[in-house]
Amino acid sequence: MNAPHWHLIINHLPVVGVFLVLLLLGYALARGRGELYGVSLGALVLLALATVPVFFTGRSAEVALMEFPDIDDKLVGLHEATANVAFIGMEILGVVALAMWWFGRRLRGSAAVIFVLALAETALLGRAANLGGQIRHPEIRATVPASKSATPQEEPK
């Protein structure tokens, strides 16, 4: 397997992982379960670490992808820019989660702060993943190119 293949495999971990942790965090907040809050913080730190190889394999994936003639450079650039923001957001979330876990899990409002940050990061990762998927899957783009002909061609006689 090459770096682009690894990128495609591991990029799902942070996207799905942060969403699942968000659900766990919401449950912990609703039920007042401190132990689940601690697990959520630890999971966010691990997901921030797991996002590092996703980010660094992205460059190799881009280089390999540019060898194909039908790739939209603008879409790749948009995915890259969005992924950069999502990566920075994930690392900030990981650092804040580590600080909350280490220093102040019992601070009032810290769970709500982490929840809001995780919600924002879920949106950022979802956007980056959606744009990445659109690079090779035109069927999920908002505007699908029209077919060459709206009506069937008549066969020559």
Side-chain angles (χ1 to χ4, degrees), residues 79-148:
H79 169 64
E80 181 181 7
T82 306
N84 287 341
V85 172
F87 173 70
I88 292 167
M90 187 66 225
E91 298 313 302
I92 290 170
L93 178 59
V95 168
V96 171
L98 181 62
M100 294 289 186
W101 181 72
W102 187 261
F103 294 113
R105 281 191 348 203
R106 301 188 199 320
L107 292 176
R108 183 174 281 279
S110 66
V113 169
I114 292 291
F115 184 83
V116 169
L117 289 175
L119 184 62
E121 186 56 27
T122 298
L124 289 172
L125 288 168
R127 173 98 169 114
N130 183 284
L131 290 170
Q134 289 180 30
I135 293 170
R136 294 296 289 173
H137 294 282
E139 70 276 10
I140 64 172
R141 295 181 192 155
T143 56
V144 178
S147 63
K148 293 182 181 178

Side-chain angles (χ1 to χ4, degrees), residues 18 34 37 57 65 68 70 84 97 103-104 109 122 135 143 151:
V18 172
Y37 176 57
T57 58
L65 197 59
F68 292 95
D70 60 340
N84 287 341
F103 294 113
T122 298
I135 293 170
T143 56
T151 59

Side-chain angles (χ1 to χ4, degrees), residues 59-78:
R59 176 59 68 188
S60 299
E62 178 185 7
V63 169
L65 197 59
M66 288 299 129
E67 294 177 11
F68 292 95
D70 60 340
I71 298 300
D72 184 354
D73 293 349
K74 291 178 189 173
L75 196 53
V76 172
L78 185 58

